[in-house]
Amino acid sequence: MTQDRFIDVGPIRTRYWQAGSAGSTVVLLHGIGCSVLEWERNLDALASKHRVFAVDLLGFGLTDKPQNECYGIRRLAAFVLDFMSAHGIQRAHLAGNSLGGRLALDCAVIAPHRVVSLLLVDPAGVDGLGTLPEFRLATVPLLGELFTRPTRMGTRMLWNKAFAKPGAFVTEELVRTKVRLASLPGAQSAFLETLRSFVGLRGFRAELVAELHAALPAIQAPTLTLWGGSDRFVPPAHAQTLKRLMPTVEVQVWEDCGHVPQIECSPRFNAEALGFWERVDKAQRTSTA
């Protein structure tokens, strides 16, 4: 069973999971309102060939949520790099779902020498329109504070939309756990500040999307993008924006899969991830031989 571990990333007490002791290093980044729990179906399989870390991002899960902190996506990307440094990780494969995918891209822009490859899983914020109305409405002051109060009914309704076939995944245990984590002191305000940093009433913030688009062509890290064809959170059509701006990116759109393929289609996800990293590592060994 995976055990919670904690490390100080600067002043931030940070929860993470770790598995595997050999092979190249992988860092897993969850989506908004999520935690390391979103990688529960993947960690052991990926650790069969890699040294794998899953981290609760700043403000999420059991990681600290200071009131005076900034929770914008630029700060979160810097936090990911600081987490790597705290473990002495110089370079890693980054895999991110939703918000985590956007942060992985930002890390590749900020510190390209530290990113071996990118595995983007339904990444958020790579194009302007199309995120959930619930998220857009939550960016409105006061309305958002009311709208995102953690309740069992609201949590169940939201997560039902995350899957193409929610019945097998949106369990009572999942709902209880998510409500508990969302009810921790500082969790709601961290969620809202993060959301509002890159989402507005019309969708993903245009200025941040434009900045990313300008930076994408310079990213050299091998990139695989996996997208659920039934994603209701971020349209699969956004994958074509990545393909246009990063011509070498490999894109796969999976039918009958929603916003969290690593959960809903975990055996396929694990196989694709391991195959991708094996190809990247082999190419790197060949180039340095």
Side-chain angles (χ1 to χ4, degrees), residues 125-270:
V126 300
D127 214 332
L129 302 176
T131 194
L132 277 180
E134 291 92 328
F135 285 165
R136 300 201 303 270
L137 288 172
T139 66
V140 178
L142 299 181
L143 180 61
E145 278 71 12
L146 177 66
F147 201 65
T148 60
R149 287 187 304 176
T151 66
R152 291 169 66 89
M153 180 180 294
T155 298
R156 179 174 291 279
M157 290 175 62
L158 181 66
W159 276 88
N160 276 338
K161 296 182 178 182
F163 297 94
K165 299 175 181 177
F169 302 99
V170 186
T171 63
E172 286 301 320
E173 180 182 2
L174 179 142
V175 171
R176 282 196 303 270
T177 299
K178 290 211 165 280
V179 170
R180 176 176 59 82
L181 291 175
S183 301
L184 292 174
Q188 185 187 26
S189 59
F191 172 89
L192 285 171
E193 186 171 342
T194 301
L195 181 71
R196 290 165 175 169
S197 76
F198 75 112
V199 177
L201 195 55
R202 298 184 61 187
F204 295 111
R205 292 193 175 277
E207 65 275 16
L208 291 181
V209 171
E211 289 177 12
L212 180 65
H213 285 188
L216 285 177
I219 293 178
Q220 298 296 312
T223 303
L224 171 62
T225 300
L226 307 178
W227 221 299
S230 301
D231 189 349
R232 298 168 68 182
F233 283 54
V234 186
H238 286 194
Q240 298 311 310
T241 297
L242 287 174
K243 187 67 176 174
R244 175 172 55 85
L245 295 170
M246 300 172 66
T248 61
V249 69
E250 179 185 351
V251 174
Q252 298 182 22
V253 178
W254 296 355
E255 298 304 317
D256 298 319
C257 190
H259 186 60
V260 281
Q262 78 274 20
I263 300 174
E264 191 165 15
C265 305
S266 56
R268 183 178 181 182
F269 173 86
N270 295 337

Side-chain angles (χ1 to χ4, degrees), residues 45-50 269-279:
L46 302 182
S48 65
K49 298 288 182 65
H50 297 275
F269 173 86
N270 295 337
E272 290 290 348
L274 288 171
F276 173 59
W277 294 326
E278 181 179 11
R279 295 192 299 272

Side-chain angles (χ1 to χ4, degrees), residues 27-33 55-60 70-81 84 94-112 115 117-126 194-195 197-198 208 212 216 219:
V27 178
L28 305 175
L29 308 175
H30 62 75
I32 194 166
V55 57
D56 279 353
L57 295 169
L58 173 65
F60 296 94
C70 170
Y71 294 97
I73 58 171
R74 291 189 180 91
R75 171 67 177 108
L76 293 181
F79 174 82
V80 171
L81 296 170
M84 291 170 56
L94 298 186
N97 175 228
S98 194
L99 168 66
R102 172 61 199 256
L103 297 181
L105 284 166
D106 285 348
C107 288
V109 173
I110 296 168
V115 178
S117 74
L118 295 169
L119 177 53
L120 309 176
V121 189
D122 299 61
V126 300
T194 301
L195 181 71
S197 76
F198 75 112
L208 291 181
L212 180 65
L216 285 177
I219 293 178

